[in-house]
């Protein structure tokens, strides 16, 4: 039975959340920069104080118990509040200070970071950004479990418990080989995608899903190539090699089309596109800080219209 006077420490809660997140004591200890025995002692002290088993241990795996699952969300809220308290104590004029884990999708990161990172150094010198590039689903899961602070991705996030802040909107642009019949046109329409040899990013990338959604919305049936690529740069180079055409966000056009014999074709208004936003947990006590960060993202966006 739990001791009603027992008060868990933040270190104990961090140990619980880390083990629950990584399902591995060694990894959790490394992420918290503590020894594995220290981590185990903190978790054991928490379980003893609460009178509840939170983590089930065996020689082969680590599981979160049913009680642990029920308490995990509250533990994260407490840690969020504590981190927010420390950040606020750092001073109103310098609230964004210390490490900040920022996740970005691969079709955003290469095009926003060149302007964003210098702006962060200039306007938020006490901030220590940690950049994590990954696909949307994994970024959202990392946000959910607390291993990311914010993520920049295409909206809506569509996940409960998260807050979306729109940053900017941008059009999709077709990239074609130089000399292609559509090269240079500014009046193309989505139905023209029908039966084009359309190259796509590999599964898991939101740009792939957005492109396919656009095709379905106009009943277009492009000829999907067998090419599989995990980066937009690779897809565009395949276009340069004559393997097909592709759609890229406006922010990527200048960088990607300067690397080979390529041209663009633009959609007539209203052009299809996407909205990029900053996403964070609704339980975070740092909403105002993240709003400030969002404004800097919008200010340094390479193209697009502020959302």
């Amino acid at each position: 039975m739990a001791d009603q006077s027992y008060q868990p420490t933040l270190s104990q809660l961090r140990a619980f959340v880390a083990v629950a997140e990584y399902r591995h004591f060694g990894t959790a200890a490394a992420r918290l920069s503590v020894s594995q025995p220290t981590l185990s002692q903190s978790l054991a002290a928490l379980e003893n104080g609460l009178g509840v088993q939170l983590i089930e241990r065996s020689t082969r795996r680590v599981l979160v118990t049913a009680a642990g699952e029920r308490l995990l969300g509250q533990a994260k809220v407490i840690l969020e509040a504590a981190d927010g308290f420390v950040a606020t104590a750092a001073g109103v004029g310098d609230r964004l200070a210390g490490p900040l884990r920022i996740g970005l999708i691969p079709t955003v990161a290469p095009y926003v970071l060149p302007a964003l990172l210098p702006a962060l150094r200039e306007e938020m010198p006490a901030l220590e950004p940690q950049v994590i590039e990954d696909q949307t689903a994994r970024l959202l899961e990392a946000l959910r479990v607390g291993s990311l602070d914010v993520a920049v991705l295409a909206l809506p996030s569509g996940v409960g418990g998260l807050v979306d802040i729109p940053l900017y909107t941008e059009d999709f642009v077709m990239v074609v080989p130089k000399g292609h019949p559509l090269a240079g046109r500014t009046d193309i329409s989505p139905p023209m995608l029908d039966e084009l040899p359309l190259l796509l990013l590999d599964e898991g990338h939101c740009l792939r899903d957005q492109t396919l959604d656009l095709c379905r919305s106009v009943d277009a049936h492009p000829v999907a190539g067998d090419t599989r690529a995990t980066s937009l740069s690779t897809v565009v180079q395949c276009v340069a090699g004559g393997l097909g055409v592709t759609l890229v966000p406006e922010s990527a056009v200048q960088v990607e089309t300067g690397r080979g014999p390529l041209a663009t074709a633009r959609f007539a208004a209203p052009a299809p596109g996407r909205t990029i936003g900053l996403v964070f947990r609704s339980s975070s006590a740092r909403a105002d800080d993240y709003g400030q960060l969002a404004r800097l993202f919008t200010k340094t966006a390479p193209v697009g219209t502020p959302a």
Side-chain angles (χ1 to χ4, degrees):
M1 181 178 294
D3 179 354
Q4 296 300 314
S5 65
Y6 170 71
Q7 294 292 323
T9 67
L10 293 178
S11 295
Q12 292 168 355
L13 292 176
R14 291 191 196 281
F16 166 45
V17 170
V19 173
E21 176 184 343
Y22 297 110
R23 308 296 172 101
H24 189 277
F25 277 76
T27 302
R31 292 302 178 97
L32 294 178
S33 299
V34 299
S35 67
Q36 192 166 328
T38 297
L39 179 82
S40 297
Q41 291 166 11
S42 294
L43 179 59
L46 178 63
E47 292 179 319
N48 290 334
L50 295 175
V52 173
Q53 183 182 14
L54 303 172
I55 300 294
E56 183 179 331
R57 311 155 179 82
S58 73
T59 55
R60 294 186 177 182
R61 59 181 180 174
V62 174
L63 299 175
V64 182
T65 66
E69 291 287 2
R70 289 196 298 271
L71 293 171
L72 183 58
Q74 288 180 282
K76 291 178 181 178
V77 169
I78 292 169
L79 293 175
E80 288 272 7
D83 291 342
F85 178 82
V86 173
T88 301
V92 175
D94 194 20
R95 292 180 61 180
L96 275 170
L100 183 73
R101 298 163 299 179
I102 306 172
L104 303 100
I105 55 176
T107 57
V108 166
Y111 316 114
V112 304
L113 290 178
L116 176 67
L117 292 179
L120 285 175
R121 286 196 298 270
E122 181 177 349
E123 299 195 22
M124 303 173 185
L127 188 68
E128 301 169 19
Q130 300 172 356
V131 174
I132 298 92
E133 183 185 67
D134 211 335
Q135 294 180 5
T136 298
R138 289 196 285 265
L139 292 181
L140 291 173
E141 176 62 12
L143 272 179
R144 189 186 69 81
V145 301
S147 58
L148 276 183
D149 297 307
V150 299
V152 180
L153 42 81
L155 299 184
S157 64
V159 177
L162 298 180
V163 176
D164 297 353
I165 302 179
L167 300 175
Y168 61 90
T169 60
E170 59 180 341
D171 294 341
F172 291 146
V173 178
M174 184 181 294
V175 177
V176 299
K178 191 172 183 180
H180 190 278
L182 296 178
R185 289 185 57 171
T186 59
D187 62 346
I188 66 172
S189 61
M192 295 173 70
L193 293 169
D194 195 26
E195 298 185 2
L196 281 175
L198 188 63
L199 302 182
L200 301 169
L201 284 167
D202 205 358
E203 292 184 4
H205 290 273
C206 62
L207 182 60
R208 173 192 176 92
D209 297 334
Q210 291 157 356
T211 300
L212 291 175
D213 286 344
L214 174 62
C215 293
R216 283 190 287 266
S217 72
V218 294
D219 198 29
H221 302 87
V223 181
D226 293 329
T227 298
R228 296 181 60 185
T230 60
S231 77
L232 199 55
S233 294
T234 299
V235 172
V236 171
Q237 287 308 303
C238 289
V239 173
L243 300 185
V245 305
T246 195
L247 297 185
V248 304
E250 175 70 38
S251 57
V253 171
Q254 183 175 359
V255 172
E256 299 298 346
T257 59
R259 299 174 177 173
L262 295 159
T264 60
R266 297 179 180 271
F267 291 92
R274 66 181 185 177
T275 298
I276 298 299
L278 184 79
V279 182
F280 62 92
R281 289 179 295 279
S282 58
S283 61
S284 175
R286 305 186 68 185
D288 290 344
D289 295 344
Y290 297 153
Q292 181 183 350
L293 182 65
R295 288 189 288 274
L296 186 59
F297 264 99
T298 299
K299 178 181 176 182
T300 58
V303 294
T305 304

